[in-house]
Structures are given as structure tokens and as C-alpha cells.
Amino acid sequence: MYSTEKIIKVMESKGYPLFRNDSKNFNLNLIGIRSKDDNANTFNDKLVVLWKNQGWNQLNFSITTDPGIYWRENPMNVNGTAILCEGHHKSLWSLGLHKNTYKALVQTGVAKVYRDNNKDDKLDMTNTQEGLFGINCHRANSNGPSQRVDKWSAGCQVFQDPYDFKFFMEVCEKSRTNFGNKFSYTLLLEEWFDELD
């Protein structure tokens, strides 16, 4: 896993905003890291939570930033399956209900996505679209860690482990108390870390 220092360096090198105010606790930076390994249907990406409280605090979770094979081959949108674009997505999420069933971060701000419409298991990142598409941050199976993405993601950022997700939600609740119900998200690419070496 990447150190706080290295993550901050990548954020700064790309000009992405970083919340450093520690006058109140839990001013969260939600940062995804998309793996260079493009094996489909795997939870091979990371979600990092950084916040400053005297020093930096860091939490790391296994997620997928990519849709599962089912939705790549069977897009629910005529333009193709959504793949969230790398970059900073300001005020992307708010605490709400995923599919009206359980608490998650739900899309309330504009997202930029790629549209993969050739219905194979490879990620195609060329055509883009901006809007409200239901790009949420939620969990996979509620009973235990999932081994395959499958239908769990059609473009959302999805936690592999429901217990990690529960803890993450508790941290987000603390942030909402101090900073309101808007959560920005920055999606980095793993290869950007290599560029710093």
C-alpha cells in the first residue's frame, strides 16, 4: 500500500485539491487508486481515506473501481457501461440509501465516466459522458467478503468486504457531523505513482 506522503505527492502533481484543515476532525479525502492490473471481475483497486488530525491518518480498503464482466457484456445504458474517469469529482456523493435498501454514499454531484459499449470483458476508455448516473460507493455481498465483482458493480465504487464498508460508513457519518453531507472523490491511476519514482 502507498504511504500518505506518496499519495499526497501524486495528488499535488496532478493539481487535485487536498483537505488539510484539522480544526475539526474527519475532514476526509476519499481517494481511489485504480490498479494497472486490468483483470476483469476482481477487487484489485484501493480506496484510501486520508484526514488530518494533528498528524495524517490513513485507512485502506479493497474495492473495485471497474464494472463487473456481466455489466460490460450487458450494458444497462444504451451508450455502454459506465467506468468512472480518473480525476477529481467534486461533491460527488452524499450519505443516502443505495437502491433504497442500505446506507451508502450515493451520487448527488456530476460525474465524468467512460462509456464502454463493445460488450466484451476488456475496459475501453475512450468515449466520455458527464451527468448523474447513479455512480455510488457501496458494498458487495452483505454476508462476507466477495471474491468476484460480477453484478455488484455497473460503474460504482464497490467494497469487497462488508465489515470494512460498515467501518467506512461510520467514519463518513463522523465527517458529516463536522463538515456536512457532501463527499468529494479523487480517482488516481496506479501508474501515476510509478512516474514519481
Side-chain angles (χ1 to χ4, degrees), residues 25-166:
N25 202 3
F26 299 108
N27 193 7
L28 303 182
N29 295 279
L30 305 183
I31 302 166
I33 302 174
R34 178 173 282 148
S35 174
K36 289 183 290 188
D37 172 7
D38 61 358
N39 268 336
N41 250 11
T42 55
F43 291 92
N44 58 357
D45 304 315
K46 297 295 178 194
L47 190 143
V48 177
V49 184
L50 290 181
W51 74 96
K52 203 167 188 187
N53 182 24
Q54 297 179 339
W56 283 101
N57 297 270
Q58 179 175 338
L59 301 172
N60 306 293
F61 303 105
S62 292
I63 67 165
T64 182
T65 64
D66 313 321
I69 287 178
Y70 177 85
W71 295 116
R72 297 186 202 185
E73 295 177 345
N74 304 277
M76 65 172 68
N77 186 297
V78 294
N79 296 308
T81 301
I83 304 165
L84 189 65
C85 291
E86 65 276 8
H88 182 70
H89 303 268
K90 183 179 178 181
S91 301
L92 178 63
W93 294 318
S94 301
L95 282 161
L97 293 179
H98 177 64
K99 295 187 174 179
N100 291 316
T101 54
Y102 64 89
K103 191 176 290 181
L105 294 181
V106 298
Q107 186 186 358
T108 52
V110 171
K112 185 175 182 180
V113 300
Y114 296 107
R115 286 291 180 187
D116 183 348
N117 204 21
N118 64 355
K119 300 181 181 177
D120 64 12
D121 65 351
K122 302 295 181 194
L123 293 174
D124 294 287
M125 301 184 185
T126 49
N127 299 320
T128 60
Q129 189 178 21
E130 292 187 40
L132 296 168
F133 309 117
I135 304 294
N136 298 343
C137 181
H138 62 90
R139 58 160 171 75
N141 196 318
S142 62
N143 298 318
S146 297
Q147 299 309 311
R148 292 168 57 84
V149 177
D150 292 327
K151 292 185 179 180
W152 289 117
S153 176
C156 295
Q157 312 296 281
V158 181
F159 275 65
Q160 180 177 23
D161 189 321
Y163 306 106
D164 283 351
F165 181 71
K166 182 176 183 293

Side-chain angles (χ1 to χ4, degrees), residues 160-173:
Q160 180 177 23
D161 189 321
Y163 306 106
D164 283 351
F165 181 71
K166 182 176 183 293
F167 180 57
F168 172 70
M169 283 288 97
E170 290 169 0
V171 173
C172 289
E173 287 281 8

